[in-house]
């Protein structure tokens, strides 16, 4: 069973900063080598061990936010991190249990079903209890050979083919052992076709990219996390961002990161007026800012994590996908006050309404996403439809010098690739970057430095195939495979 822990951990190496995308099919092959012979009743434990290897290696960076910035004792932080990882591992455990119950002891059925079960497990993890849409195998292919397929099938489609490839390698080995070399050769060739054809799709322009550049200046303040919400330091933060912006007031689009103005908009009138007075005639400044006011829908007072456009633009967007414990506390009446982690600053936000439109910046439709929202592939694709440009702001300072912020950047790159749109990414301490419509970084500044990123972005029009269908084709294919097996169309062995 240690092999399953290793197989899960290998998947973490496919992502940034390691970029060993080729380990994806290897990991799947190792999983199948262990699980295909197992009795169905043992597959739940096998899936849990696989998930434990993946999430312990790839998502345990939450320890930093719990311990260092959550004011939580180390033993409690270790316990909470372990619970987080073990809880996430239940998703592949449930998927593997379902897999065993559908396929029973048939190796053929298990192989056919495996990619479908893996994808449905990923989808469930990205939806249930607000979701954790992180560490999808397809994300590794921002720099891999399957990247060209992303605008067509999305990250779940890429993951499906990676899982299919691992299963095909297993099946080819089994056929060779049975002296069925021709069948093995046909299977290998069929499996290789998308891997060989996808790079050619990188040259396809799914969207129309304007020739007219929009100049960008993104401020990375590198405000220490422990000082960001200190009332005595609030003025210094604003002064720091204003000072950084001083040479760039005439830039087309100026970006400040998440909650760069750390006071609600109803208290920030003087700051906003100062910004308006200094901005160039055709310039727009977009900044993260908390928003407090009466909801037009419910008539109740609400508190949002928001982003707004100032100057030659307009609009405000309220974050819809909130991070549990970081932006809201489940079972708040019970957990508040128990430990520091349940009382983090700005952890009482309300989700924004659905159907919010883009911000307008000098006649450019800019669709914003705040922090964690960029990780939701279908959510972003749906909201990007009526936009010219994508923008995401974040404060990854919660995760220190870990792989978390680098994984977050790679996820943003996948969203730009899927939608065929430029994306500007503004963060408090990195990684601040400009990403083009093919998911490639055209400009970036180092982490943990106070710096200004400058560059150009270009508006896009039209939609990629993935934007029009989201993940429904691959999810439907997964369900068809399940029905195919359920109806016993294939042999039992």
């Amino acid at each position: 069973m240690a092999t399953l822990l290793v197989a899960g951990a290998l998947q973490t190496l496919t992502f940034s900063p390691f970029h060993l995308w080729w380990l994806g099919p290897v990991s799947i092959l190792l999983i199948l080598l262990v699980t295909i012979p197992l009795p169905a009743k043992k597959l739940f434990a096998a899936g849990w061990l696989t998930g434990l290897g993946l999430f312990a290696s790839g998502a345990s960076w939450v320890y930093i936010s719990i311990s260092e910035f959550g004011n939580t004792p180390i033993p409690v932080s270790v316990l909470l991190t372990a619970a987080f990882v073990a809880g996430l591992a239940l998703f592949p455990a449930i998927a593997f249990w379902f897999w065993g119950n559908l396929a029973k002891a048939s190796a053929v059925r298990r192989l056919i079903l495996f990619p479908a079960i893996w994808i449905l497990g990923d989808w469930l993890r990205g939806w249930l209890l607000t979701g954790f849409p992180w560490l999808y195998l397809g994300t590794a292919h921002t720099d891999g050979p399957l990247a060209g397929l992303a605008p067509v099938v999305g990250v779940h489609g890429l993951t499906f083919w990676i899982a299919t490839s691992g299963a095909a390698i297993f099946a080819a080995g089994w056929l060779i052992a049975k002296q069925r070399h021709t069948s093995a050769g046909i299977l290998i060739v069929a499996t290789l076709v998308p891997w060989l054809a996808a790079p050619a799709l990188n040259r396809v322009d799914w969207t129309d990219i304007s020739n007219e550049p929009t100049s960008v200046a993104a401020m990375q303040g590198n405000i220490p996390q422990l000082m960001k919400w200190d009332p005595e330091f609030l003025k210094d933060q604003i002064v720091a961002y204003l000072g950084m912006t001083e040479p760039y007031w005439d830039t087309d689009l100026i970006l400040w990161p998440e909650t760069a103005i750390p006071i609600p908009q109803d208290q920030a009138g003087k700051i906003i007026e100062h910004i308006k007075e200094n901005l160039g005639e055709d310039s727009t400044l977009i900044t993260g800012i908390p928003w407090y006011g009466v909801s037009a829908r419910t008539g109740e007072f609400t508190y949002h994590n928001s982003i707004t456009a100032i100057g030659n633009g307009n609009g405000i967007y309220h974050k819809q996908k909130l991070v549990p414990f970081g932006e809201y506390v489940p079972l708040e009446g019970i957990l508040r006050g128990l430990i520091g982690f349940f009382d983090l600053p700005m952890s009482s936000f309300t989700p924004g309404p659905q159907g919010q439109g883009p911000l307008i910046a000098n006649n450019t439709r800019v669709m914003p996403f705040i922090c964690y929202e960029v990780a939701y592939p279908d959510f972003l694709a749906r909201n990007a439809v009526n936009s010219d440009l994508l923008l995401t702001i974040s404060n990854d300072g919660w995760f220190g010098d870990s792989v978390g912020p680098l994984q977050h950047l790679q996820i943003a790159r996948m969203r730009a690739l899927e939608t065929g749109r430029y994306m500007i990414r503004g963060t408090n301490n990195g990684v601040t970057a400009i990403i083009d419509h093919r998911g490639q970084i055209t400009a970036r500044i180092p982490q943990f430095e106070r710096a200004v990123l400058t560059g150009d972005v270009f508006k896009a029009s039209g939609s990629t195939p993935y934007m029009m269908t989201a993940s429904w084709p691959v999810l439907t294919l997964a369900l068809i495979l399940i029905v195919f097996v359920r109806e016993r169309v294939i042999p039992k062995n």
Side-chain angles (χ1 to χ4, degrees):
M1 290 298 187
T3 303
L4 294 174
L5 289 170
V6 172
L10 286 179
Q11 294 187 17
T12 294
L13 296 178
T14 68
F15 306 111
S16 183
F18 310 105
H19 299 290
L20 302 177
W21 56 264
W22 52 271
L23 285 175
V26 173
S27 169
I28 298 297
L29 177 61
L30 287 177
I31 293 168
L32 292 172
L33 286 170
V34 174
T35 56
I36 290 294
L38 286 179
K41 63 182 180 180
K42 291 188 176 182
L43 287 179
F44 180 90
W48 188 78
L49 287 171
T50 302
L52 194 65
L54 171 61
F55 297 115
S57 60
S60 56
W61 34 257
V62 297
Y63 171 83
I64 297 173
S65 61
I66 297 171
S67 176
E68 294 186 22
F69 303 120
N71 247 351
T72 305
I74 291 177
V76 179
S77 299
V78 171
L79 182 62
L80 289 174
T81 302
F84 173 73
V85 168
L88 287 175
L90 289 174
F91 285 99
I94 293 169
F96 278 39
W97 173 85
F98 189 56
W99 181 41
N101 277 271
L102 279 174
K104 305 300 182 183
S106 168
V108 175
R109 289 181 177 181
R110 287 190 182 186
L111 281 175
I112 292 175
L113 270 181
F114 184 81
I117 294 298
W118 189 275
I119 283 300
L120 291 175
D122 273 0
W123 178 84
L124 182 66
R125 173 162 58 86
W127 170 78
L128 191 65
L129 300 176
T130 73
F132 186 73
W134 212 271
L135 301 178
Y136 292 152
L137 271 174
T139 304
H141 280 261
T142 50
D143 299 298
L146 294 180
L149 288 172
V152 181
V153 298
V155 68
H156 287 314
L158 301 189
T159 302
F160 182 88
W161 197 253
I162 294 166
T164 298
S165 298
I169 295 170
F170 182 98
W174 180 79
L175 289 169
I176 290 171
K178 296 287 186 180
Q179 302 297 313
R180 297 169 63 179
H181 299 288
T182 301
S183 297
I186 293 171
L187 180 61
I188 291 172
V189 170
T191 303
L192 285 174
V193 168
W195 291 86
L196 298 174
L201 292 177
N202 283 321
R203 296 190 290 271
V204 176
D205 293 320
W206 300 105
T207 54
D208 295 321
I209 305 299
S210 169
N211 293 321
E212 184 177 346
T214 298
S215 60
V216 172
M219 282 63 198
Q220 181 173 288
N222 197 34
I223 307 298
Q225 192 61 33
L226 292 175
M227 301 175 68
K228 184 169 177 59
W229 302 109
D230 186 341
E232 297 183 1
F233 193 63
L234 296 183
K235 181 179 178 181
D236 293 337
Q237 293 184 58
I238 299 301
V239 169
Y241 276 109
L242 289 173
M244 295 171 68
T245 310
E246 187 65 34
Y248 303 99
W249 288 117
D250 290 322
T251 305
D252 293 333
L253 199 160
I254 302 166
L255 180 62
W256 291 5
E258 184 179 11
T259 57
I261 299 179
I263 54 177
Q265 94 294 343
D266 61 342
Q267 301 174 27
K270 292 184 178 179
I271 299 168
I272 293 173
E273 285 304 315
H274 180 81
I275 292 172
K276 288 180 177 178
E277 291 171 1
N278 284 274
L279 278 170
E281 182 179 354
D282 296 320
S283 301
T284 305
L285 187 145
I286 296 178
T287 180
I289 184 172
W291 188 93
Y292 183 70
V294 178
S295 169
R297 183 170 55 90
T298 65
E300 298 177 352
F301 279 96
T302 55
Y303 198 32
H304 297 289
N305 186 356
S306 305
I307 184 170
T308 189
I310 304 169
N312 186 30
N314 61 80
I316 187 163
Y317 172 84
H318 304 309
K319 186 177 182 183
Q320 299 178 58
K321 302 285 189 180
L322 300 184
V323 180
F325 303 106
E327 293 176 313
Y328 78 97
V329 178
L331 304 174
E332 184 174 10
I334 300 173
L335 298 179
R336 285 285 189 195
L338 290 180
I339 57 175
F341 180 63
F342 298 141
D343 294 295
L344 292 172
M346 314 305 284
S347 59
S348 299
F349 286 125
T350 302
Q354 297 181 7
Q356 299 178 70
L359 306 177
I360 303 300
N362 194 18
N363 296 320
T364 298
R365 298 171 299 174
V366 181
M367 192 64 217
F369 301 92
I370 301 177
C371 190
Y372 194 54
E373 290 184 315
V374 80
Y376 292 83
D378 290 355
F379 169 79
L380 188 141
R382 181 173 66 250
N383 285 278
V385 169
N386 293 316
S387 69
D388 304 312
L389 180 67
L390 305 181
L391 179 149
T392 180
I393 57 172
S394 185
N395 179 20
D396 287 349
W398 291 108
F399 307 113
D401 190 13
S402 70
V403 298
L406 301 177
Q407 293 172 351
H408 203 179
L409 172 63
Q410 187 174 32
I411 289 169
R413 293 177 58 198
M414 178 55 68
R415 300 294 89 84
L417 176 60
E418 289 168 335
T419 58
R421 277 160 170 74
Y422 272 73
M423 178 180 288
I424 312 167
R425 186 171 192 264
T427 68
N428 172 48
N429 65 348
V431 179
T432 299
I434 294 174
I435 306 166
D436 72 12
H437 62 298
R438 301 191 191 280
Q440 299 302 305
I441 296 172
T442 63
R444 66 184 289 176
I445 49 180
Q447 285 182 284
F448 313 116
E449 291 184 14
R450 178 168 293 182
V452 178
L453 174 73
T454 59
D456 292 328
V457 296
F458 298 85
K459 294 192 290 186
S461 59
S463 296
T464 63
Y466 174 68
M467 290 172 67
M468 293 184 283
T469 64
S471 296
W472 288 112
V474 69
L475 294 174
T476 301
L477 175 59
L479 293 173
I480 289 172
L481 286 173
I482 290 173
V483 171
F484 182 62
V485 169
R486 184 76 174 174
E487 295 299 320
R488 303 177 183 273
V489 177
I490 58 175
K492 294 181 179 180
N493 294 298

